[in-house]
Amino acid sequence: MKNSFWKKFFLKKSLKYLNTISRKNLYIFPNLRGFQIAVLIFFCFSVAIFYQNNFALLLSIILFFIYFISILISYQNLLNLDLYINDKLHPANQIVNLRYLISDKHKRERLNINFDLGKDSVKADIKNKININLKHKFNKRGNVKAPTLDIHSQFPFGIIKTFTNVSFSEYLTIYPEPIKPSNEIFEQLYQLNTDEGFDYEFDKIEENKENTNLSKISWKHSSIKKKLYEKKFKFSNNLQHVTIDIQKLNNDSFEKKLSYASYLIEYFYNLKKPFLLKNKDFISTIACSLEHRNKLLTYLANV
């Protein structure tokens, strides 16, 4: 009984953001081939009238019938399709996949429908429902209105184009672009968490490729190999939780700090290590769940 209640609750919530293609936002226009056939129909009809030519009359009737059928089928091909955006949390400055659910409650087969978003395009046949992915890039963080989706169909004969532009009512949450911090910032994070009673463990030895704190240099390996080698560390498995303090991340740009924080949130979430986020008076709970990750990335999008 409880599951039934929640199903109805989420269904009502999703219907709030459901976009349906109706007669009000659907447009029909002949393409170049359609104009050519329209001229041919007019020419054949004129010949039939002025020269009493039965063949021209028959040809004009057949072509007009094909023209009318094209308008009717192309129109019905798009009418009453429902559209919904599945994912609403995305990073900035990265090409992401926007997932759309396209459904038809009448369960009729819809053929050769084009969905266009900027330079990306998908052609799909729909019966009941289908998921499509379209690539898009958001240039800044924050709450951004979902981009307009262009939909058109020239089915069945390619002479009539039925089209519409779907402007979604919901907003997407765009969090700062995840940027991997430098080894220096990881070292700083290590120091901060060590001071709070957390631990790192030795991972491996690697050739030094950038300026590194001398305390991390493995002098034994360096003297043998005649090159500088550094010690790499990772969070130990017995770590209880990690504190990501935005104000203590070493960078002058606040936006860069947010980008580092985005990366660290995803990094510790993938490691399944509990973490918390601090920023001035804000302090989150300690967790490593998907809900926790999404909540903190949403906070970074709007801070």
Side-chain angles (χ1 to χ4, degrees):
M1 194 74 179
K2 191 175 180 181
N3 290 336
S4 175
F5 167 78
W6 284 112
K7 281 182 181 178
K8 290 179 181 178
F9 173 79
F10 285 116
L11 180 61
K12 287 181 180 178
K13 194 172 181 181
S14 65
L15 286 174
K16 179 182 176 182
Y17 297 112
L18 200 63
N19 297 271
T20 302
I21 299 176
S22 64
R23 291 181 176 87
K24 294 179 181 179
N25 55 10
L26 200 58
Y27 307 96
I28 301 175
F29 206 73
N31 56 20
L32 178 61
R33 188 180 298 175
F35 273 115
Q36 291 172 341
I37 291 179
V39 170
L40 181 60
I41 292 172
F42 179 78
F43 176 76
C44 290
F45 187 74
S46 300
V47 169
I49 295 296
F50 289 107
Y51 296 100
Q52 302 293 313
N53 190 311
N54 292 331
F55 175 76
L57 179 62
L58 179 61
L59 184 59
S60 66
I61 292 173
I62 291 172
L63 291 176
F64 179 79
F65 180 76
I66 292 173
Y67 210 82
F68 178 77
I69 291 296
S70 295
I71 294 173
L72 184 63
I73 294 178
S74 183
Y75 180 78
Q76 292 295 329
N77 203 28
L78 294 187
L79 187 64
N80 292 327
L81 282 180
D82 295 330
L83 300 97
Y84 179 73
I85 299 181
N86 287 316
D87 297 329
K88 298 181 177 64
L89 183 64
H90 301 281
N93 297 318
Q94 292 184 4
I95 296 176
V96 298
N97 279 325
L98 296 183
R99 296 198 307 119
Y100 297 87
L101 173 64
I102 318 294
S103 60
D104 176 22
K105 54 192 172 186
H106 299 297
K107 298 182 180 180
R108 295 174 296 179
E109 190 167 9
R110 314 296 185 93
L111 301 174
N112 299 331
I113 300 176
N114 287 77
F115 300 89
D116 301 321
L117 185 62
K119 296 180 180 179
D120 198 16
S121 179
V122 170
K123 180 179 285 188
D125 297 337
I126 301 167
K127 187 172 184 180
N128 191 10
K129 63 179 63 177
I130 190 174
N131 284 294
I132 63 170
N133 294 329
L134 288 166
K135 291 180 173 58
H136 192 71
K137 183 178 180 181
F138 299 95
N139 296 322
K140 61 180 182 177
R141 66 181 178 92
N143 290 326
V144 179
K145 196 165 186 181
T148 299
L149 188 63
D150 298 329
I151 306 172
H152 71 270
S153 173
Q154 299 187 72
F155 180 79
F157 302 117
I159 59 176
I160 298 294
K161 181 177 181 179
T162 305
F163 62 95
T164 185
N165 299 323
V166 178
S167 297
F168 293 86
S169 56
E170 60 264 53
Y171 282 76
L172 306 180
T173 301
I174 310 303
Y175 60 89
E177 176 189 6
I179 297 177
K180 184 178 180 179
S182 64
N183 286 345
E184 182 183 351
I185 292 178
F186 266 108
E187 175 73 14
Q188 179 193 19
L189 187 67
Y190 156 70
Q191 293 291 346
L192 290 172
N193 282 277
T194 300
D195 293 341
E196 296 181 17
F198 306 124
D199 198 11
Y200 276 59
E201 65 181 18
F202 175 76
D203 183 23
K204 57 187 174 182
I205 297 290
E206 279 189 359
E207 184 179 348
N208 176 249
K209 295 182 179 178
E210 56 183 79
N211 294 328
T212 305
N213 192 316
L214 292 179
S215 63
K216 295 179 66 179
I217 297 296
S218 173
W219 298 108
K220 179 181 177 181
H221 289 83
S222 298
S223 61
I224 294 172
K225 301 285 188 178
K226 306 298 183 183
K227 292 181 181 178
L228 281 181
Y229 281 81
E230 61 178 300
K231 302 171 187 175
K232 292 288 186 179
F233 296 88
K234 65 179 180 180
F235 284 99
S236 61
N237 291 328
N238 60 2
L239 181 67
Q240 293 183 4
H241 74 269
V242 180
T243 299
I244 304 171
D245 192 333
I246 295 176
Q247 295 302 316
K248 292 182 179 179
L249 293 175
N250 187 20
N251 198 283
D252 294 333
S253 169
F254 181 65
E255 290 298 322
K256 207 62 170 291
K257 289 182 178 182
L258 294 181
S259 291
Y260 291 156
S262 291
Y263 179 91
L264 292 171
I265 288 170
E266 295 188 337
Y267 177 77
F268 292 119
Y269 167 73
N270 292 328
L271 284 179
K272 301 304 177 188
K273 297 293 183 184
F275 59 91
L276 66 88
L277 183 70
K278 290 175 65 177
N279 181 41
K280 297 181 180 178
D281 296 332
F282 171 82
I283 182 167
S284 73
T285 57
I286 302 170
C288 62
S289 65
L290 178 62
E291 181 184 3
H292 182 64
R293 167 197 175 269
N294 292 346
K295 189 179 293 185
L296 294 187
L297 290 176
T298 300
Y299 167 78
L300 294 182
N302 299 288
V303 67

